[in-house]
Amino acid sequence: MKDERIQMGHGSGGKLSHDLIADIMLPAFKNPILAEMHDGAKLQIQAAKLAFTTDSFIVKPVFFPGGDIGKLSVCGTVNDLAMTGAVPLYLSVAFILEEGFPVQDLKTIVQSIQTAAAEAGVFIVTGDTKVAERGAVDGIYINTAGIGKIMDDVDITPARVHAGQDIILSGHIGDHAVSVMAERHGITLPQAITSDCAPLNGLVKEMLLAVPQISILRDPTRGGVATILNEIASQAKVGILLKETAIPIRPEVAAVCDMLGFDPLYLANEGKILAFVDSAYSEQLVGVMHQHQYGRDARIIGSVTANNRGSVGLRTTIGGVRLLDMLASDQLPRIC
């Protein structure tokens, strides 16, 4: 493209819009469904139970260690589908661009979207691009929606959560939020700390094929582990008791949180899973997760109780129990 920055005309629907789509979007997202270039994608899905979700991404900065807004937008929607027990199939991607946004950055983000979609095994089949006046948008916002087919014999619902079940976490928490926050404020972190942003549908499929008795799956994004577990405790009308010593937190993340006053239990993650399952299956499930790159640090972090329904407690290292409420407000806004 001759012009290296986004202009208002790129969202006009005219020649500049056509060039933007033809030069950047179509080569990256190329597939037979998108190539028909209808106003909407025509999808052939056999009789099945479907999952459908949508999400918007306004992360700042758009590039951060371990990912960018493009990868985040695909992984976020793929993971929402996976948490319902669905195999993600198709995504839509809509861009809202600020006039003046660098075209090279858009190309990088589009390629990142395609790389993440390829890893997740999903197709980008429709989309949209709008351009807002300079100052009306902070660079780039992305909305994605997704459709997936729910796996046979899978029933993921809070209603199946009951006392006596174990709670399994797939790995270290807080990496994504700390990485984005450090990039935003120019804080240098150890190279080992990068966002955990990743598509989890492959791991979830292996978990459900091995242990279809899983009651519920959730990815602890905004609000973190503590808020998501409060939601489940309230929906299922059960109590939850966590073991502080069992929750994996990298020492570097814990140190940053101590320094800045953040609680890692409330920080967003973009590549972690919480799973509830009867204790008879929990060790088997952890073993399956350990075989996958995104679950190699999985462990049991607590259990479901019949007491203190609707609440979440944390058994601390000194033996007391600390009550974990829902997050009242964002500790770190615009991180997903």
Side-chain angles (χ1 to χ4, degrees):
M1 299 179 69
K2 294 179 180 179
D3 196 325
E4 292 301 314
R5 289 192 175 271
I6 294 297
Q7 305 175 47
M8 291 300 296
H10 284 122
S12 68
K15 185 176 185 306
L16 284 179
S17 295
H18 173 83
D19 291 347
L20 189 74
I21 294 169
D23 294 344
I24 297 179
M25 314 301 182
L26 290 181
F29 303 150
K30 184 178 181 181
N31 64 68
I33 299 171
L34 184 63
E36 289 196 6
M37 295 298 290
H38 274 294
D39 280 353
K42 296 189 296 183
L43 308 177
Q44 185 72 45
I45 301 175
Q46 301 298 322
K49 186 184 290 185
L50 301 178
F52 176 50
T53 188
T54 187
D55 205 346
S56 299
F57 300 86
I58 58 171
V59 64
K60 182 180 182 178
V62 296
F63 298 101
F64 49 84
D68 57 48
I69 191 172
K71 180 179 182 181
L72 189 64
S73 65
V74 172
C75 294
T77 297
V78 162
N79 293 346
D80 283 348
L81 291 171
M83 296 308 122
T84 70
V87 175
L89 299 173
Y90 304 112
L91 299 186
S92 72
V93 178
F95 299 90
I96 300 177
L97 304 170
E98 181 185 16
E99 180 187 13
F101 188 73
V103 170
Q104 184 55 51
D105 286 356
L106 178 61
K107 289 181 178 178
T108 301
I109 290 166
V110 166
Q111 186 55 54
S112 183
I113 288 173
Q114 177 54 26
T115 300
E119 180 180 357
V122 297
F123 291 109
I124 308 296
V125 295
T126 190
D128 185 42
T129 302
K130 294 290 190 300
V131 179
E133 296 86 353
R134 196 182 298 267
V137 174
D138 192 0
I140 178 173
Y141 299 158
I142 297 178
N143 173 270
T144 49
I147 295 175
K149 179 182 177 183
I150 294 178
M151 297 172 64
D152 294 338
D153 302 321
V154 168
D155 183 19
I156 303 294
T157 171
R160 295 184 57 219
V161 174
H162 58 81
Q165 292 187 319
D166 283 333
I167 303 165
I168 297 170
L169 177 63
S170 62
H172 296 85
I173 60 172
D175 293 4
H176 173 74
V178 167
S179 297
V180 174
M181 181 275 299
E183 186 71 13
R184 184 184 302 171
H185 297 289
I187 299 173
T188 301
L189 293 176
Q191 290 186 347
I193 306 302
T194 62
S195 169
D196 61 355
C197 183
L200 299 173
N201 55 310
L203 172 59
V204 169
K205 185 176 182 179
E206 291 185 17
M207 291 167 62
L208 288 171
L209 287 175
V211 186
Q213 294 86 358
I214 294 170
S215 295
I216 196 165
L217 296 165
R218 289 285 175 86
D219 54 338
T221 55
R222 285 183 300 171
V225 168
T227 298
I228 297 302
L229 291 180
N230 266 281
E231 291 176 359
I232 295 173
S234 176
Q235 293 166 350
K237 298 179 175 55
V238 297
I240 288 175
L241 183 60
L242 304 178
K243 302 175 185 175
E244 186 174 25
T245 55
I247 299 174
I249 304 171
R250 300 185 197 280
E252 298 91 342
V253 170
V256 172
C257 289
D258 286 343
M259 180 174 63
L260 300 178
F262 297 134
D263 186 338
L265 288 169
Y266 291 92
L267 293 183
N269 311 274
E270 291 295 340
K272 295 298 181 296
I273 301 173
L274 287 162
F276 285 57
V277 69
D278 288 356
S279 57
Y281 300 105
S282 53
E283 291 295 342
Q284 178 190 356
L285 184 58
V286 169
V288 170
M289 296 172 75
H290 284 171
Q291 301 306 309
H292 195 281
Q293 63 173 327
Y294 297 135
R296 62 170 64 103
D297 295 314
R299 63 196 70 178
I300 300 168
I301 63 167
S303 58
V304 181
T305 73
N307 302 320
N308 303 310
R309 296 176 186 271
S311 67
V312 178
L314 177 72
R315 178 76 67 186
T316 66
T317 54
I318 59 174
V321 176
R322 169 190 163 202
L323 186 64
L324 300 176
D325 286 327
M326 282 193 177
L327 184 65
S329 61
D330 258 352
Q331 292 187 111
L332 296 168
R334 292 193 58 181
I335 58 173
C336 56

Short mmCIF file of all heavy atoms in Angstrom, two decimals, residues 15-74:
data_model
loop_
_atom_site.label_atom_id
_atom_site.label_comp_id
_atom_site.label_asym_id
_atom_site.label_seq_id
_atom_site.Cartn_x
_atom_site.Cartn_y
_atom_site.Cartn_z
N LYS A 15 -12.77 2.37 -2.58
CA LYS A 15 -11.56 1.72 -3.09
C LYS A 15 -10.52 1.48 -2.00
O LYS A 15 -9.89 0.42 -1.97
CB LYS A 15 -10.94 2.58 -4.20
CG LYS A 15 -9.75 1.90 -4.87
CD LYS A 15 -9.21 2.72 -6.01
CE LYS A 15 -8.10 1.94 -6.73
NZ LYS A 15 -7.04 1.47 -5.84
N LEU A 16 -10.35 2.44 -1.09
CA LEU A 16 -9.36 2.22 -0.04
C LEU A 16 -9.75 1.05 0.86
O LEU A 16 -8.90 0.26 1.28
CB LEU A 16 -9.19 3.50 0.80
CG LEU A 16 -8.37 4.62 0.15
CD1 LEU A 16 -8.32 5.83 1.08
CD2 LEU A 16 -6.97 4.15 -0.19
N SER A 17 -11.05 0.93 1.15
CA SER A 17 -11.52 -0.22 1.94
C SER A 17 -11.24 -1.52 1.19
O SER A 17 -10.76 -2.51 1.77
CB SER A 17 -13.02 -0.11 2.22
OG SER A 17 -13.30 0.99 3.04
N HIS A 18 -11.56 -1.50 -0.10
CA HIS A 18 -11.33 -2.69 -0.93
C HIS A 18 -9.84 -3.06 -0.92
O HIS A 18 -9.49 -4.23 -0.76
CB HIS A 18 -11.79 -2.43 -2.36
CG HIS A 18 -11.45 -3.54 -3.31
ND1 HIS A 18 -12.21 -4.67 -3.44
CD2 HIS A 18 -10.39 -3.68 -4.15
CE1 HIS A 18 -11.65 -5.48 -4.32
NE2 HIS A 18 -10.54 -4.90 -4.78
N ASP A 19 -8.98 -2.07 -1.07
CA ASP A 19 -7.54 -2.35 -1.09
C ASP A 19 -7.06 -2.90 0.24
O ASP A 19 -6.21 -3.80 0.29
CB ASP A 19 -6.77 -1.06 -1.43
CG ASP A 19 -6.99 -0.62 -2.87
OD1 ASP A 19 -7.52 -1.43 -3.67
OD2 ASP A 19 -6.65 0.54 -3.19
N LEU A 20 -7.58 -2.34 1.33
CA LEU A 20 -7.17 -2.80 2.66
C LEU A 20 -7.52 -4.28 2.83
O LEU A 20 -6.71 -5.09 3.31
CB LEU A 20 -7.88 -1.98 3.74
CG LEU A 20 -7.40 -2.19 5.18
CD1 LEU A 20 -6.05 -1.52 5.40
CD2 LEU A 20 -8.41 -1.64 6.18
N ILE A 21 -8.74 -4.64 2.44
CA ILE A 21 -9.18 -6.03 2.57
C ILE A 21 -8.39 -6.94 1.63
O ILE A 21 -7.92 -8.02 2.02
CB ILE A 21 -10.69 -6.12 2.29
CG1 ILE A 21 -11.46 -5.38 3.38
CG2 ILE A 21 -11.14 -7.58 2.20
CD1 ILE A 21 -12.93 -5.18 3.07
N ALA A 22 -8.24 -6.48 0.38
CA ALA A 22 -7.59 -7.32 -0.62
C ALA A 22 -6.10 -7.52 -0.33
O ALA A 22 -5.54 -8.60 -0.57
CB ALA A 22 -7.77 -6.71 -2.01
N ASP A 23 -5.45 -6.47 0.20
CA ASP A 23 -4.00 -6.53 0.39
C ASP A 23 -3.59 -7.15 1.72
O ASP A 23 -2.51 -7.73 1.85
CB ASP A 23 -3.40 -5.12 0.31
CG ASP A 23 -3.53 -4.52 -1.09
OD1 ASP A 23 -3.80 -5.30 -2.03
OD2 ASP A 23 -3.41 -3.29 -1.22
N ILE A 24 -4.45 -7.00 2.76
CA ILE A 24 -4.03 -7.43 4.10
C ILE A 24 -4.89 -8.57 4.64
O ILE A 24 -4.37 -9.59 5.09
CB ILE A 24 -4.07 -6.24 5.08
CG1 ILE A 24 -3.07 -5.16 4.64
CG2 ILE A 24 -3.77 -6.70 6.51
CD1 ILE A 24 -3.04 -3.94 5.53
N MET A 25 -6.22 -8.41 4.60
CA MET A 25 -7.09 -9.39 5.25
C MET A 25 -7.17 -10.71 4.47
O MET A 25 -6.94 -11.78 5.03
CB MET A 25 -8.51 -8.81 5.43
CG MET A 25 -8.55 -7.40 5.99
SD MET A 25 -7.78 -7.25 7.61
CE MET A 25 -8.10 -5.51 7.96
N LEU A 26 -7.53 -10.61 3.20
CA LEU A 26 -7.79 -11.83 2.43
C LEU A 26 -6.56 -12.74 2.30
O LEU A 26 -6.67 -13.96 2.48
CB LEU A 26 -8.35 -11.49 1.05
CG LEU A 26 -9.78 -10.93 1.06
CD1 LEU A 26 -10.23 -10.64 -0.37
CD2 LEU A 26 -10.74 -11.90 1.73
N PRO A 27 -5.37 -12.19 2.01
CA PRO A 27 -4.22 -13.10 1.92
C PRO A 27 -3.93 -13.82 3.24
O PRO A 27 -3.52 -14.98 3.23
CB PRO A 27 -3.07 -12.16 1.54
CG PRO A 27 -3.72 -10.99 0.90
CD PRO A 27 -5.01 -10.81 1.62
N ALA A 28 -4.17 -13.14 4.36
CA ALA A 28 -3.87 -13.77 5.66
C ALA A 28 -4.91 -14.80 6.04
O ALA A 28 -4.59 -15.87 6.54
CB ALA A 28 -3.77 -12.69 6.74
N PHE A 29 -6.19 -14.49 5.80
CA PHE A 29 -7.28 -15.35 6.27
C PHE A 29 -7.80 -16.29 5.19
O PHE A 29 -8.87 -16.89 5.35
CB PHE A 29 -8.45 -14.50 6.79
CG PHE A 29 -8.07 -13.54 7.89
CD1 PHE A 29 -8.74 -12.34 8.04
CD2 PHE A 29 -7.06 -13.85 8.78
CE1 PHE A 29 -8.40 -11.46 9.05
CE2 PHE A 29 -6.71 -12.98 9.80
CZ PHE A 29 -7.38 -11.77 9.94
N LYS A 30 -7.11 -16.44 4.11
CA LYS A 30 -7.60 -17.15 2.93
C LYS A 30 -8.22 -18.51 3.27
O LYS A 30 -7.59 -19.36 3.89
CB LYS A 30 -6.44 -17.36 1.95
CG LYS A 30 -6.85 -17.99 0.64
CD LYS A 30 -5.63 -18.10 -0.29
CE LYS A 30 -6.03 -18.73 -1.62
NZ LYS A 30 -4.83 -18.85 -2.51
N ASN A 31 -9.49 -18.71 2.87
CA ASN A 31 -10.16 -20.02 2.95
C ASN A 31 -11.36 -19.97 2.02
O ASN A 31 -11.83 -18.88 1.63
CB ASN A 31 -10.55 -20.35 4.40
CG ASN A 31 -11.58 -19.40 4.97
OD1 ASN A 31 -12.73 -19.38 4.55
ND2 ASN A 31 -11.15 -18.58 5.94
N PRO A 32 -11.90 -21.12 1.60
CA PRO A 32 -12.98 -21.14 0.60
C PRO A 32 -14.23 -20.39 1.02
O PRO A 32 -14.92 -19.80 0.18
CB PRO A 32 -13.25 -22.64 0.43
CG PRO A 32 -11.99 -23.31 0.84
CD PRO A 32 -11.42 -22.47 1.94
N ILE A 33 -14.57 -20.41 2.30
CA ILE A 33 -15.79 -19.74 2.76
C ILE A 33 -15.64 -18.23 2.66
O ILE A 33 -16.50 -17.54 2.11
CB ILE A 33 -16.11 -20.15 4.21
CG1 ILE A 33 -16.35 -21.66 4.28
CG2 ILE A 33 -17.33 -19.39 4.73
CD1 ILE A 33 -16.46 -22.20 5.69
N LEU A 34 -14.52 -17.71 3.11
CA LEU A 34 -14.28 -16.27 3.05
C LEU A 34 -14.13 -15.81 1.60
O LEU A 34 -14.55 -14.69 1.24
CB LEU A 34 -13.02 -15.93 3.85
CG LEU A 34 -12.67 -14.44 3.98
CD1 LEU A 34 -13.78 -13.70 4.74
CD2 LEU A 34 -11.34 -14.27 4.70
N ALA A 35 -13.57 -16.66 0.76
CA ALA A 35 -13.30 -16.28 -0.63
C ALA A 35 -14.57 -15.98 -1.42
O ALA A 35 -14.53 -15.29 -2.45
CB ALA A 35 -12.52 -17.39 -1.32
N GLU A 36 -15.74 -16.47 -0.96
CA GLU A 36 -16.99 -16.17 -1.66
C GLU A 36 -17.37 -14.70 -1.52
O GLU A 36 -18.15 -14.18 -2.33
CB GLU A 36 -18.12 -17.05 -1.12
CG GLU A 36 -17.97 -18.51 -1.53
CD GLU A 36 -19.26 -19.27 -1.32
OE1 GLU A 36 -20.29 -18.65 -0.98
OE2 GLU A 36 -19.26 -20.50 -1.52
N MET A 37 -16.88 -14.03 -0.48
CA MET A 37 -17.06 -12.58 -0.30
C MET A 37 -18.53 -12.15 -0.29
O MET A 37 -18.91 -11.16 -0.90
CB MET A 37 -16.28 -11.82 -1.38
CG MET A 37 -14.77 -12.00 -1.28
SD MET A 37 -14.10 -11.36 0.26
CE MET A 37 -14.30 -9.60 0.02
N HIS A 38 -19.37 -12.92 0.42
CA HIS A 38 -20.75 -12.51 0.64
C HIS A 38 -20.81 -11.51 1.79
O HIS A 38 -19.82 -11.29 2.50
CB HIS A 38 -21.61 -13.72 0.98
CG HIS A 38 -22.13 -14.44 -0.23
ND1 HIS A 38 -23.02 -13.90 -1.10
CD2 HIS A 38 -21.85 -15.68 -0.70
CE1 HIS A 38 -23.29 -14.75 -2.05
NE2 HIS A 38 -22.59 -15.85 -1.85
N ASP A 39 -22.02 -10.96 2.01
CA ASP A 39 -22.21 -10.11 3.17
C ASP A 39 -22.12 -10.91 4.46
O ASP A 39 -21.85 -10.37 5.53
CB ASP A 39 -23.57 -9.40 3.10
CG ASP A 39 -23.52 -8.20 2.17
OD1 ASP A 39 -22.41 -7.85 1.71
OD2 ASP A 39 -24.58 -7.62 1.89
N GLY A 40 -22.40 -12.19 4.37
CA GLY A 40 -22.27 -13.10 5.51
C GLY A 40 -21.71 -14.42 5.05
O GLY A 40 -21.80 -14.76 3.87
N ALA A 41 -21.13 -15.17 5.98
CA ALA A 41 -20.55 -16.47 5.62
C ALA A 41 -21.66 -17.52 5.56
O ALA A 41 -22.56 -17.53 6.40
CB ALA A 41 -19.52 -16.87 6.66
N LYS A 42 -21.60 -18.39 4.55
CA LYS A 42 -22.54 -19.51 4.43
C LYS A 42 -21.85 -20.74 5.00
O LYS A 42 -20.84 -21.20 4.46
CB LYS A 42 -22.92 -19.72 2.97
CG LYS A 42 -23.67 -18.53 2.37
CD LYS A 42 -24.23 -18.85 1.00
CE LYS A 42 -23.14 -19.13 0.00
NZ LYS A 42 -23.68 -19.37 -1.36
N LEU A 43 -22.41 -21.27 6.09
CA LEU A 43 -21.76 -22.36 6.82
C LEU A 43 -22.57 -23.64 6.70
O LEU A 43 -23.80 -23.61 6.84
CB LEU A 43 -21.59 -22.00 8.29
CG LEU A 43 -20.92 -20.64 8.58
CD1 LEU A 43 -20.88 -20.38 10.07
CD2 LEU A 43 -19.53 -20.59 7.98
N GLN A 44 -21.91 -24.74 6.47
CA GLN A 44 -22.55 -26.06 6.40
C GLN A 44 -22.21 -26.80 7.69
O GLN A 44 -21.08 -27.26 7.88
CB GLN A 44 -22.04 -26.85 5.20
CG GLN A 44 -22.73 -28.19 4.98
CD GLN A 44 -24.15 -28.01 4.46
OE1 GLN A 44 -24.40 -27.22 3.57
NE2 GLN A 44 -25.08 -28.77 5.02
N ILE A 45 -23.17 -26.88 8.60
CA ILE A 45 -22.94 -27.57 9.86
C ILE A 45 -24.01 -28.64 10.02
O ILE A 45 -25.20 -28.34 9.98
CB ILE A 45 -23.01 -26.58 11.05
CG1 ILE A 45 -21.95 -25.48 10.89
CG2 ILE A 45 -22.80 -27.32 12.37
CD1 ILE A 45 -22.01 -24.40 11.94
N GLN A 46 -23.58 -29.89 10.16
CA GLN A 46 -24.52 -30.99 10.33
C GLN A 46 -25.27 -30.82 11.66
O GLN A 46 -24.82 -30.10 12.55
CB GLN A 46 -23.76 -32.32 10.33
CG GLN A 46 -22.98 -32.58 9.05
CD GLN A 46 -23.87 -32.65 7.81
OE1 GLN A 46 -24.98 -33.19 7.88
NE2 GLN A 46 -23.40 -32.11 6.71
N ALA A 47 -26.42 -31.49 11.77
CA ALA A 47 -27.23 -31.39 12.99
C ALA A 47 -26.36 -31.60 14.21
O ALA A 47 -25.72 -32.64 14.36
CB ALA A 47 -28.35 -32.44 12.95
N ALA A 48 -26.30 -30.60 15.07
CA ALA A 48 -25.40 -30.67 16.22
C ALA A 48 -25.80 -29.62 17.23
O ALA A 48 -26.53 -28.67 16.92
CB ALA A 48 -23.96 -30.43 15.77
N LYS A 49 -25.35 -29.79 18.47
CA LYS A 49 -25.52 -28.75 19.48
C LYS A 49 -24.36 -27.76 19.32
O LYS A 49 -23.20 -28.15 19.34
CB LYS A 49 -25.49 -29.36 20.87
CG LYS A 49 -25.80 -28.36 21.99
CD LYS A 49 -25.68 -29.00 23.35
CE LYS A 49 -26.80 -30.00 23.59
NZ LYS A 49 -26.75 -30.54 24.97
N LEU A 50 -24.70 -26.48 19.13
CA LEU A 50 -23.68 -25.48 18.83
C LEU A 50 -23.47 -24.55 20.02
O LEU A 50 -24.38 -24.33 20.83
CB LEU A 50 -24.10 -24.64 17.63
CG LEU A 50 -24.34 -25.40 16.32
CD1 LEU A 50 -24.80 -24.44 15.23
CD2 LEU A 50 -23.09 -26.15 15.89
N ALA A 51 -22.27 -23.99 20.10
CA ALA A 51 -21.96 -22.92 21.04
C ALA A 51 -21.64 -21.67 20.23
O ALA A 51 -21.03 -21.76 19.16
CB ALA A 51 -20.77 -23.30 21.91
N PHE A 52 -22.05 -20.50 20.72
CA PHE A 52 -21.86 -19.24 20.01
C PHE A 52 -21.45 -18.19 21.04
O PHE A 52 -22.07 -18.08 22.09
CB PHE A 52 -23.18 -18.85 19.32
CG PHE A 52 -23.15 -17.51 18.63
CD1 PHE A 52 -22.13 -17.18 17.77
CD2 PHE A 52 -24.16 -16.58 18.85
CE1 PHE A 52 -22.10 -15.95 17.12
CE2 PHE A 52 -24.16 -15.35 18.21
CZ PHE A 52 -23.12 -15.04 17.34
N THR A 53 -20.42 -17.43 20.75
CA THR A 53 -19.95 -16.43 21.72
C THR A 53 -19.35 -15.24 20.99
O THR A 53 -19.04 -15.31 19.80
CB THR A 53 -18.88 -17.04 22.66
OG1 THR A 53 -18.58 -16.12 23.72
CG2 THR A 53 -17.60 -17.37 21.91
N THR A 54 -19.21 -14.12 21.71
CA THR A 54 -18.56 -12.94 21.14
C THR A 54 -17.81 -12.21 22.25
O THR A 54 -18.13 -12.34 23.43
CB THR A 54 -19.59 -12.00 20.49
OG1 THR A 54 -18.91 -10.94 19.82
CG2 THR A 54 -20.52 -11.41 21.52
N ASP A 55 -16.79 -11.46 21.87
CA ASP A 55 -15.98 -10.73 22.84
C ASP A 55 -15.31 -9.55 22.12
O ASP A 55 -15.14 -9.58 20.91
CB ASP A 55 -14.92 -11.65 23.44
CG ASP A 55 -14.46 -11.19 24.83
OD1 ASP A 55 -14.77 -10.04 25.20
OD2 ASP A 55 -13.79 -11.98 25.51
N SER A 56 -14.92 -8.54 22.88
CA SER A 56 -14.21 -7.39 22.32
C SER A 56 -12.90 -7.18 23.07
O SER A 56 -12.82 -7.45 24.27
CB SER A 56 -15.08 -6.13 22.44
OG SER A 56 -16.28 -6.29 21.70
N PHE A 57 -11.90 -6.65 22.35
CA PHE A 57 -10.55 -6.56 22.92
C PHE A 57 -10.02 -5.14 22.73
O PHE A 57 -9.96 -4.63 21.60
CB PHE A 57 -9.66 -7.60 22.25
CG PHE A 57 -10.17 -9.00 22.47
CD1 PHE A 57 -11.13 -9.54 21.60
CD2 PHE A 57 -9.76 -9.74 23.56
CE1 PHE A 57 -11.65 -10.80 21.83
CE2 PHE A 57 -10.28 -11.00 23.79
CZ PHE A 57 -11.23 -11.54 22.92
N ILE A 58 -9.62 -4.52 23.85
CA ILE A 58 -9.14 -3.13 23.83
C ILE A 58 -7.86 -3.02 24.64
O ILE A 58 -7.62 -2.02 25.31
CB ILE A 58 -10.22 -2.17 24.37
CG1 ILE A 58 -10.62 -2.54 25.79
CG2 ILE A 58 -11.45 -2.16 23.46
CD1 ILE A 58 -11.52 -1.50 26.46
N VAL A 59 -7.03 -4.05 24.58
CA VAL A 59 -5.82 -4.12 25.41
C VAL A 59 -4.86 -2.96 25.09
O VAL A 59 -4.75 -2.52 23.94
CB VAL A 59 -5.12 -5.48 25.21
CG1 VAL A 59 -4.63 -5.64 23.78
CG2 VAL A 59 -3.98 -5.66 26.19
N LYS A 60 -4.17 -2.47 26.12
CA LYS A 60 -3.18 -1.40 25.97
C LYS A 60 -1.93 -1.75 26.76
O LYS A 60 -2.03 -1.99 27.96
CB LYS A 60 -3.77 -0.09 26.46
CG LYS A 60 -2.81 1.09 26.29
CD LYS A 60 -3.43 2.38 26.79
CE LYS A 60 -2.48 3.56 26.56
NZ LYS A 60 -3.09 4.83 27.01
N PRO A 61 -0.77 -1.84 26.11
CA PRO A 61 -0.48 -1.63 24.68
C PRO A 61 -0.93 -2.83 23.84
O PRO A 61 -1.16 -3.91 24.38
CB PRO A 61 1.04 -1.49 24.66
CG PRO A 61 1.49 -2.35 25.80
CD PRO A 61 0.46 -2.17 26.88
N VAL A 62 -1.02 -2.62 22.52
CA VAL A 62 -1.52 -3.69 21.66
C VAL A 62 -0.47 -4.77 21.43
O VAL A 62 -0.81 -5.89 21.06
CB VAL A 62 -2.03 -3.14 20.31
CG1 VAL A 62 -3.22 -2.23 20.52
CG2 VAL A 62 -0.93 -2.42 19.55
N PHE A 63 0.79 -4.45 21.65
CA PHE A 63 1.87 -5.45 21.59
C PHE A 63 2.46 -5.60 22.99
O PHE A 63 2.76 -4.60 23.65
CB PHE A 63 2.97 -5.02 20.61
CG PHE A 63 2.49 -4.88 19.19
CD1 PHE A 63 2.21 -3.64 18.65
CD2 PHE A 63 2.31 -6.00 18.39
CE1 PHE A 63 1.77 -3.50 17.35
CE2 PHE A 63 1.88 -5.88 17.07
CZ PHE A 63 1.60 -4.63 16.56
N PHE A 64 2.62 -6.83 23.44
CA PHE A 64 3.14 -7.09 24.78
C PHE A 64 3.92 -8.40 24.76
O PHE A 64 3.76 -9.21 23.82
CB PHE A 64 2.00 -7.14 25.81
CG PHE A 64 0.85 -8.03 25.39
CD1 PHE A 64 0.88 -9.40 25.61
CD2 PHE A 64 -0.26 -7.49 24.74
CE1 PHE A 64 -0.17 -10.20 25.22
CE2 PHE A 64 -1.31 -8.30 24.34
CZ PHE A 64 -1.27 -9.66 24.58
N PRO A 65 4.77 -8.66 25.75
CA PRO A 65 5.56 -9.90 25.74
C PRO A 65 4.66 -11.14 25.70
O PRO A 65 3.81 -11.31 26.57
CB PRO A 65 6.34 -9.83 27.06
CG PRO A 65 6.42 -8.38 27.38
CD PRO A 65 5.13 -7.78 26.89
N GLY A 66 4.82 -11.96 24.68
CA GLY A 66 4.03 -13.18 24.57
C GLY A 66 2.81 -13.05 23.69
O GLY A 66 2.08 -14.04 23.50
N GLY A 67 2.55 -11.86 23.13
CA GLY A 67 1.37 -11.76 22.29
C GLY A 67 1.06 -10.35 21.84
O GLY A 67 1.86 -9.43 22.02
N ASP A 68 -0.11 -10.19 21.27
CA ASP A 68 -0.61 -8.88 20.85
C ASP A 68 -2.13 -8.96 20.79
O ASP A 68 -2.72 -10.02 21.04
CB ASP A 68 -0.02 -8.45 19.50
CG ASP A 68 -0.29 -9.46 18.41
OD1 ASP A 68 -1.45 -9.90 18.26
OD2 ASP A 68 0.65 -9.81 17.67
N ILE A 69 -2.76 -7.84 20.45
CA ILE A 69 -4.23 -7.80 20.47
C ILE A 69 -4.84 -8.79 19.47
O ILE A 69 -5.94 -9.30 19.70
CB ILE A 69 -4.73 -6.36 20.20
CG1 ILE A 69 -6.22 -6.24 20.47
CG2 ILE A 69 -4.38 -5.92 18.78
CD1 ILE A 69 -6.74 -4.82 20.41
N GLY A 70 -4.11 -9.11 18.40
CA GLY A 70 -4.63 -10.07 17.43
C GLY A 70 -4.68 -11.47 17.99
O GLY A 70 -5.71 -12.16 17.93
N LYS A 71 -3.57 -11.93 18.54
CA LYS A 71 -3.53 -13.27 19.15
C LYS A 71 -4.55 -13.35 20.28
O LYS A 71 -5.26 -14.35 20.43
CB LYS A 71 -2.12 -13.55 19.66
CG LYS A 71 -1.96 -14.92 20.31
CD LYS A 71 -0.53 -15.14 20.79
CE LYS A 71 -0.35 -16.53 21.40
NZ LYS A 71 1.05 -16.73 21.88
N LEU A 72 -4.61 -12.28 21.07
CA LEU A 72 -5.53 -12.25 22.21
C LEU A 72 -6.98 -12.40 21.76
O LEU A 72 -7.77 -13.12 22.38
CB LEU A 72 -5.34 -10.93 22.95
CG LEU A 72 -6.04 -10.74 24.29
CD1 LEU A 72 -5.49 -11.72 25.31
CD2 LEU A 72 -5.84 -9.31 24.78
N SER A 73 -7.34 -11.75 20.66
CA SER A 73 -8.73 -11.78 20.20
C SER A 73 -9.14 -13.17 19.73
O SER A 73 -10.28 -13.60 19.97
CB SER A 73 -8.95 -10.76 19.08
OG SER A 73 -8.20 -11.09 17.93
N VAL A 74 -8.24 -13.88 19.10
CA VAL A 74 -8.56 -15.26 18.67
C VAL A 74 -8.60 -16.19 19.88
O VAL A 74 -9.56 -16.95 20.06
CB VAL A 74 -7.52 -15.76 17.65
CG1 VAL A 74 -7.73 -17.25 17.36
CG2 VAL A 74 -7.63 -14.97 16.36
#
